[in-house]
Amino acid sequence: MPTSIGHALAGAAAAWSVDLVPGRRAWRTAPPAASWYRRAGNGLTLVCVALAAVPDADLLFRLHRTFSHGIGGVIVVGVLAGAIAALTNRPAVRIASMCAAAYGTHLLLDWLAVDLMPPYGIQAFWPFSDAWYISRWIVFRQIERARLFSAATLRLNALAVAQELVVLAPMVIVIWLVRVKALARLAAQMSRSDHPAE
Ligand SMILES: [Zn+2]
């Protein structure tokens, strides 16, 4: 299973990818001089980062990789996020898709990871199926949660993080750069339509 670092990166990538979908997204723009936090999409991007990591909170309840790692979790997150967005007069479909996509990346990354503890993989289609799924393509390493500060565990987990960065960081950087360009173009269009005579 990937680390929370890998999951967090995927959550940010999901939020920024949904920003590339045309539609009502002017509120996601920020001037180039704005803080990194605003340019990265404020608290909503942070929420997506958290949503991408939160399914592993099931470790606390000894129900790891079961219902929180299924499509049912993605649907619940999407519906809740859409309802909160609608109640606060924000674009419900966009916010629902963003949050559901961020949560969904957790399932995708876990599916693509080594799992040495049977039953292998995740209950990806819970509650529609109790079956366990794991990909044949292994992209991410197994991390170790026992004896966290032993040299062997630190080395194993450092390698896992390094592999996650090698796979995910280039994707995240490309999505970020494309998003910066797309939102800057959108901001320029908006300011032209605000000042048509200029
Ligand atoms: Zn997980």
Side-chain angles (χ1 to χ4, degrees):
M1 305 276 113
T3 67
S4 299
I5 296 172
H7 284 306
L9 280 175
W16 295 337
S17 300
V18 174
D19 282 336
L20 300 179
V21 179
R24 202 179 141 200
R25 55 184 175 149
W27 56 284
R28 294 286 286 165
T29 62
S35 66
W36 272 96
Y37 177 68
R38 276 191 63 200
R39 292 178 63 210
N42 292 321
L44 182 56
T45 301
L46 264 191
V47 166
C48 288
V49 165
L51 282 172
V54 84
D56 283 343
D58 63 359
L59 281 162
L60 300 172
F61 308 104
R62 297 176 181 274
L63 291 165
H64 194 36
R65 297 176 281 118
T66 57
F67 62 85
S68 69
H69 285 61
I71 192 78
V74 179
I75 294 169
V76 168
V77 165
V79 169
L80 279 180
I84 294 169
L87 287 173
T88 52
N89 263 331
R90 285 166 170 256
V93 173
R94 181 171 292 272
I95 291 178
S97 329
M98 208 175 262
C99 293
Y103 193 95
T105 61
H106 189 103
L107 279 54
L108 178 67
L109 264 59
D110 276 5
W111 178 69
L112 288 167
V114 178
D115 187 1
L116 303 176
M117 295 263 283
Y120 305 112
I122 56 172
Q123 286 188 310
F125 292 101
W126 190 93
F128 306 106
S129 160
D130 284 339
W132 294 76
Y133 294 87
I134 188 161
S135 168
R136 270 187 252 163
W137 305 289
I138 298 302
V139 180
F140 302 104
R141 287 168 178 257
Q142 169 89 33
I143 57 166
E144 180 57 65
R145 293 192 175 90
R147 297 181 306 279
L148 262 184
F149 297 103
S150 73
T153 301
L154 286 171
R155 187 176 157 277
L156 210 79
N157 289 347
L159 276 173
V161 171
Q163 188 159 329
E164 288 163 15
L165 290 177
V166 166
V167 174
L168 294 170
M171 262 188 266
V172 173
I173 290 168
V174 168
I175 292 169
W176 167 258
L177 292 174
V178 174
R179 176 183 180 272
V180 166
K181 268 204 152 169
L183 293 190
R185 210 178 308 131
L186 187 67
Q189 280 169 8
M190 277 158 37
S191 75
R192 269 203 300 278
S193 59
D194 282 348
H195 309 283
E198 286 174 15

